[in-house]
Amino acid sequence: MADEIERLPLLRLTAESRSSIKDIVVREFPLTVILNNQEVVTLLCSPANLEYLALGFLFSEGLLKNKEEIKKIIVDDKRGVVRVETRESRELAQDVLFKRLITSGCGRGASFYNAADAAGQKVESKLQISAGAIFALVSDFQHRSQVYKTTGGVHSAALCDREKILVFSEDIGRHNAIDKIFGECLLQDIATKNRIIITSGRISSEILLKVAKRNIPLLISKSAPTNLGVKLASELGVTLVGFARGRRMNVYTHDRRVVTGGK
Amino acid sequence: MADEIERLPLLRLTAESRSSIKDIVVREFPLTVILNNQEVVTLLCSPANLEYLALGFLFSEGLLKNKEEIKKIIVDDKRGVVRVETRESRELAQDVLFKRLITSGCGRGASFYNAADAAGQKVESKLQISAGAIFALVSDFQHRSQVYKTTGGVHSAALCDREKILVFSEDIGRHNAIDKIFGECLLQDIATKNRIIITSGRISSEILLKVAKRNIPLLISKSAPTNLGVKLASELGVTLVGFARGRRMNVYTHDRRVVTGGK
């Protein structure tokens, strides 16, 4: 965690007083991801688990299909570069890369408004969980959000089963936090199917799609969803929970997976 | 505002109860920006002031230099497209567009880690404002954040002078909210020099650079800055205020512009 924050001098002002203090801010680090010698993207991220972020990003964007494909990963954290080489050094056509980069931009995700792209992605899972178990997971999630507590500047994400948090990550970007989870799952052979993602961030269509691609049947957010997030959750078979705070939550879609009661 | 939200059925769950209600969520709308018949980006945004967003985005990305350049703007809000034509229909080289899109991605901004790009951008301004006046502006800003209050899902931004809010905008994206302001300023001939931006969102390097490019000497956020945001503010001559809440704030850089006392 030490690398993820920095202590800076600043002036604390109220209407009446003025004091010079030192306080911590979260670090922002530019990470360039290179796949088979082609620069794919520069992500602004928290400088931890760069390898997981690079892999998770490539995985989420469909540029990496599975672990077996990976031949070599070289992390240069001084220069902020992760190089990934695959066994078959397929050349990404410039226009494929170009299109991908449009959709991975600020408005990343344009492509999936195309029904053909979303089709075949429907999440099938018999997972069921009690409301009480969700409140317990969210409470644990809250307690683990360290960097946020000290700096107010990061998002958290977690992969869980019905009982506990399995993988936890933090990043200044809500996309990055989730990509770090999926990168870790890919590299460490941790299954995502039938499991649960919790995020501190908003559920936009892009987040929903990223999670549905990993066959996650239940997505829980402490924040709000957008209407497109809800629409895609409904179409793709994902149970979407928003505003999970304290002992209360909103279930927007496929509520059969959440049963009343529980611990 | 009606278009920016949608009413949806959902299940409100506590550990003991389960009730079907209707509640509102914020809308997320894909807007494609086309410049001289070239598709530049698809932004996911709140569906209001699409024209301002498209212009502000092009302006911030350096693809549009001034108002005089604009020959025609066609807004097709059914299909989610804004077409901008400039007088000189300069062809954007594919690789320029390609590079730009990398830097406008999730990690948009890679380019400005290049000192040459940041140089010459330094903001010169004799603006001074009292702490009390900042608290008054932030309080007014709070009161105007309508959509956030009802859905918890948007960011707000405002352009101010020392006395009042001049332009206000809301969007699901913190970049978009600021781009909408700059688009409106461009089209309506509203000066940004020597003025103030308030944002509800985090100050990352990208936000800082966007604001510095418009010659804004004072950037105020209700949230946290990142270390790169602070570093760039210091280098580019921007006074950066974070955690402006109630009657308290942190001034990270160039604190000469904020004086004690005031209304």
Side-chain angles (χ1 to χ4, degrees):
Chain A
M1 194 180 116
D3 275 357
E4 291 164 66
I5 56 176
E6 185 174 326
R7 188 168 288 271
L8 291 177
L10 62 92
L11 196 64
R12 166 97 19 105
L13 265 182
T14 67
E16 298 79 27
S17 72
R18 200 176 173 95
S19 46
S20 292
I21 61 166
K22 282 204 158 191
D23 204 357
I24 53 185
V25 295
V26 74
R27 280 186 66 201
E28 181 188 353
F29 183 81
L31 173 69
T32 299
V33 180
I34 298 175
L35 177 63
N36 297 329
N37 292 319
Q38 277 192 285
E39 192 176 317
V40 176
V41 77
T42 295
L43 301 165
L44 294 170
C45 66
S46 298
N49 298 323
L50 299 179
E51 187 178 16
Y52 294 155
L53 176 57
L55 291 180
F57 176 84
L58 293 172
F59 198 27
S60 288
E61 294 298 308
L63 297 174
L64 201 59
K65 299 291 177 209
N66 53 49
K67 185 183 173 183
E68 289 62 43
E69 250 194 334
I70 304 169
K71 187 172 137 201
K72 201 193 274 185
I73 307 165
I74 305 161
V75 179
D76 180 347
D77 49 13
K78 283 255 167 56
R79 292 177 53 231
V81 175
V82 173
R83 290 175 179 275
V84 179
E85 284 175 37
T86 56
R87 293 193 190 283
E88 284 183 44
S89 176
R90 52 189 151 76
E91 189 76 13
L92 293 171
Q94 192 71 357
D95 67 327
V96 168
L97 201 54
F98 176 67
K99 281 287 174 202
R100 290 213 169 268
L101 284 160
I102 289 189
T103 66
S104 78
C106 217
R108 73 192 200 162
S111 62
F112 62 83
Y113 296 101
N114 181 338
D117 195 22
Q121 297 276 356
K122 191 150 184 165
V123 179
E124 306 282 356
S125 168
K126 297 211 186 323
L127 178 92
Q128 276 206 326
I129 182 169
S130 69
I134 290 180
F135 294 135
L137 287 174
V138 171
S139 163
D140 190 15
F141 181 73
Q142 286 279 76
H143 288 126
R144 290 181 64 164
S145 302
Q146 283 304 326
V147 177
Y148 182 79
K149 266 182 243 160
T150 43
T151 67
V154 301
H155 281 290
S156 310
L159 179 81
C160 315
D161 61 19
R162 288 186 301 179
E163 284 82 38
K164 60 189 178 306
I165 290 176
L166 304 168
V167 181
F168 182 82
S169 85
E170 291 184 306
D171 198 283
I172 53 168
R174 62 199 167 94
H175 283 276
N176 294 345
I178 294 179
D179 281 339
K180 280 181 177 178
I181 299 242
F182 291 148
E184 183 167 351
C185 289
L186 182 74
L187 205 59
Q188 310 296 348
D189 299 310
I190 301 164
T192 54
K193 208 180 166 184
N194 290 325
R195 289 188 162 158
I196 301 161
I197 287 282
I198 307 182
T199 169
S200 61
R202 257 189 310 129
I203 306 292
S204 60
S205 53
E206 309 167 277
I207 295 287
L208 197 288
L209 192 77
K210 189 193 291 286
V211 166
K213 274 183 184 165
R214 297 282 83 81
N215 261 305
I216 305 275
L218 174 56
L219 174 57
I220 300 168
S221 170
K222 287 171 50 195
S223 309
T226 67
N227 72 327
L228 276 191
V230 175
K231 185 167 177 278
L232 282 171
S234 173
E235 288 170 5
L236 296 176
V238 175
T239 300
L240 179 57
V241 173
F243 292 104
R245 296 171 184 181
R247 306 282 293 168
R248 192 171 141 157
M249 65 178 124
N250 289 344
V251 188
Y252 291 90
T253 55
H254 301 286
D255 55 31
R256 66 183 180 279
R257 294 200 183 99
V258 184
V259 296
T260 317
K263 63 172 168 184
Chain B
M1 194 180 114
D3 276 357
E4 291 164 67
I5 55 175
E6 186 175 326
R7 188 169 288 270
L8 292 176
L10 63 95
L11 195 65
R12 166 97 18 107
L13 264 182
T14 68
E16 298 79 27
S17 71
R18 200 175 172 96
S19 48
S20 293
I21 61 166
K22 282 203 159 192
D23 204 355
I24 52 184
V25 295
V26 73
R27 281 187 67 201
E28 182 187 351
F29 183 81
L31 173 68
T32 299
V33 180
I34 297 174
L35 177 64
N36 297 328
N37 292 319
Q38 277 191 283
E39 193 175 317
V40 177
V41 77
T42 296
L43 300 165
L44 294 170
C45 66
S46 298
N49 298 322
L50 299 179
E51 187 178 18
Y52 294 155
L53 176 58
L55 292 179
F57 176 83
L58 293 171
F59 198 25
S60 287
E61 294 299 307
L63 297 172
L64 201 60
K65 299 290 178 207
N66 53 49
K67 184 183 173 183
E68 289 62 43
E69 251 194 333
I70 304 168
K71 189 171 136 199
K72 201 193 276 185
I73 307 165
I74 306 161
V75 180
D76 180 346
D77 49 15
K78 283 253 168 54
R79 292 179 51 233
V81 175
V82 173
R83 288 173 180 276
V84 179
E85 285 176 34
T86 56
R87 291 190 194 283
E88 285 182 43
S89 175
R90 51 190 151 79
E91 190 77 13
L92 293 172
Q94 192 73 355
D95 67 327
V96 168
L97 199 53
F98 176 68
K99 282 286 175 203
R100 290 213 168 269
L101 284 159
I102 290 188
T103 64
S104 79
C106 218
R108 72 192 200 163
S111 62
F112 62 82
Y113 296 101
N114 181 337
D117 195 23
Q121 297 276 357
K122 190 150 184 165
V123 179
E124 305 281 356
S125 168
K126 296 211 185 323
L127 177 91
Q128 276 206 326
I129 182 169
S130 69
I134 289 181
F135 295 133
L137 287 173
V138 171
S139 162
D140 191 14
F141 180 73
Q142 285 280 75
H143 287 127
R144 291 180 68 163
S145 302
Q146 283 304 324
V147 177
Y148 183 80
K149 264 182 246 165
T150 43
T151 67
V154 301
H155 280 290
S156 310
L159 179 81
C160 315
D161 61 18
R162 289 186 301 178
E163 283 83 38
K164 61 189 179 304
I165 290 175
L166 304 167
V167 180
F168 182 83
S169 85
E170 290 184 307
D171 198 281
I172 54 167
R174 64 199 166 95
H175 283 275
N176 294 344
I178 294 179
D179 281 339
K180 280 180 177 177
I181 299 239
F182 291 148
E184 182 166 351
C185 289
L186 181 76
L187 205 58
Q188 310 296 348
D189 299 310
I190 301 164
T192 54
K193 209 182 161 180
N194 289 325
R195 287 185 165 161
I196 300 161
I197 287 281
I198 307 182
T199 170
S200 60
R202 254 188 313 130
I203 305 295
S204 59
S205 53
E206 309 167 277
I207 295 288
L208 197 284
L209 192 80
K210 189 193 288 289
V211 166
K213 274 184 185 164
R214 296 282 83 80
N215 261 306
I216 304 276
L218 175 56
L219 174 58
I220 301 167
S221 170
K222 285 171 52 195
S223 309
T226 67
N227 73 326
L228 275 191
V230 174
K231 184 168 177 278
L232 281 171
S234 173
E235 288 171 5
L236 296 176
V238 175
T239 301
L240 178 57
V241 173
F243 293 104
R245 295 170 184 181
R247 306 283 291 169
R248 193 172 140 155
M249 66 178 123
N250 289 346
V251 188
Y252 291 89
T253 56
H254 301 287
D255 55 31
R256 66 183 180 277
R257 293 199 184 100
V258 184
V259 297
T260 318
K263 62 171 168 182

